[in-house]
Amino acid sequence: MNQDQLNRRAEAAEAAVREAGALALDFYRRRGDLKIDSKGLQDVVSQADHDCESLIEAFLAREFPEDSLLGEEGGLRQNGPTLWVVDPIDGTSNFLRGVAHWCVSLGIVVDGRALVGFIYDPAADEMFSAVAGRGAALNGEPIRVSGETDIRRARIGLGFSYRTAVAPHARDVETLLDAGCEYLRLGSGALGLAYTACGRLDGYWERHINLWDVAGGLVIVEEAGGRISDFMTRDVATTGNEILAATPALFDPLRSLVDKA
Ligand code: LIP
């Protein structure tokens, strides 16, 4: 894929995420009318997730019908080698409970590497973005990970879902606190990566997360100067993986802490 093809897709991806974000915000304001379905323990979904994903699917079919789409709700629509990976509403539990910490996340993956990322928080009107080799931004302003080097001053985002056992997560909390490291569980892996990229957090750790939750954030963290664990394995689109993101100085200390937990 040449730079021009990538740039055209990046422009289109931003437009698609903004449109889906506007629809999601409209649903959010009338969330009381939404019927909530369960996908598993503490794993919810509503018409808002489905309609926002369908909007992006229709957009993609119009603009780049040769590309493929992987969405949280509709799964894989295989076409050509370029893969758009979408989480129409990341932080769905927050969304349905009226907690204004959710977003639309989109990443474009080529040859197993995320090259374009957009994470849009419509409630805060914050657009986190990055294209490989062109840096990361928040509402167009360049962003960098924090300069934090000391685990005893660090604030780390933690994620958990019942896709994994409780005990390792509980040990993570204890291990980080014993190390003097503060943690926050905000309920959106995508925003956890975006906040790491702009220095609101010094890192993010979750023992299992899906590609659609992080595809947008991977390139945003890297282009903001952060380090990311080797998330993109061959079958990650179906299996998911653990994710560790952090400032360069904190990555190895955090790695050894969570490996010890
Ligand atoms: C959520 C992730 C979060 C994880 C939740 C859930 P969703 O995604 O962003 O990191 O801890 O279990 O998977 O379901 O809101 O799109």
Side-chain angles (χ1 to χ4, degrees):
M1 173 157 318
N2 65 37
Q3 198 61 44
D4 173 58
Q5 292 168 322
L6 197 64
N7 294 346
R8 283 193 306 112
R9 282 172 171 78
E11 272 167 45
E14 179 167 3
V17 164
R18 274 192 197 288
E19 241 183 87
L23 177 61
L25 192 57
D26 176 52
F27 273 121
Y28 182 67
R29 291 181 174 139
R30 48 195 179 83
R31 59 189 171 275
D33 305 337
L34 287 169
K35 178 175 157 304
I36 301 174
D37 296 315
S38 171
K39 298 196 290 184
L41 183 54
Q42 294 285 0
D43 191 0
V44 287
V45 65
S46 79
Q47 197 57 42
D49 304 79
H50 293 291
D51 288 9
C52 293
E53 186 167 315
S54 301
L55 181 151
I56 294 177
E57 181 175 11
F59 185 101
L60 185 58
R62 232 182 13 255
E63 303 293 327
F64 296 97
E66 69 275 24
D67 290 358
S68 300
L69 173 67
L70 171 66
E72 175 171 10
E73 308 314 334
L76 181 63
R77 291 79 147 184
Q78 186 68 53
N79 283 326
T82 302
L83 178 65
W84 295 50
V85 185
V86 173
D87 190 338
I89 299 178
D90 188 55
T92 301
S93 300
N94 288 341
F95 176 95
L96 292 168
R97 294 295 191 105
V99 178
H101 189 76
W102 55 273
C103 63
V104 180
S105 175
L106 190 158
I108 300 179
V109 174
V110 179
D111 300 331
R113 190 171 162 233
L115 297 181
V116 172
F118 287 93
I119 296 174
Y120 183 43
D121 174 350
D125 194 21
E126 290 191 328
M127 178 69 79
F128 298 86
S129 62
V131 176
R134 289 174 40 196
L138 168 52
N139 291 344
E141 295 301 320
I143 53 174
R144 297 295 293 174
V145 293
S146 78
E148 190 50 69
T149 59
D150 184 345
I151 201 87
R152 300 178 66 83
R153 286 197 304 264
R155 291 168 64 83
I156 303 296
L158 277 188
F160 171 77
S161 72
Y162 286 94
R163 296 181 300 269
T164 59
V166 170
H169 175 66
R171 284 198 302 273
D172 287 341
V173 171
E174 187 178 0
T175 303
L176 287 171
L177 291 176
D178 281 347
C181 178
E182 178 59 285
Y183 76 94
L184 296 89
R185 186 181 167 208
L186 298 171
S188 163
L191 284 176
L193 295 180
Y195 282 20
T196 299
C198 68
R200 291 175 188 167
L201 292 171
D202 303 307
Y204 186 80
W205 166 243
E206 185 156 3
R207 285 184 175 272
H208 180 273
I209 199 162
N210 288 299
L211 179 56
W212 47 78
D213 296 311
V214 300
L218 296 172
V219 64
I220 294 173
V221 170
E222 285 178 335
E223 287 295 320
R227 275 187 65 187
I228 293 251
S229 52
D230 296 334
F231 184 83
M232 298 295 279
T233 57
R234 201 167 52 89
D235 304 325
V236 73
T238 48
T239 62
N241 200 351
E242 64 171 29
I243 186 117
L244 177 62
T247 69
L250 288 175
F251 187 90
D252 292 334
L254 281 171
R255 181 80 265 178
S256 29
L257 281 174
V258 295
D259 288 349
K260 191 174 70 177

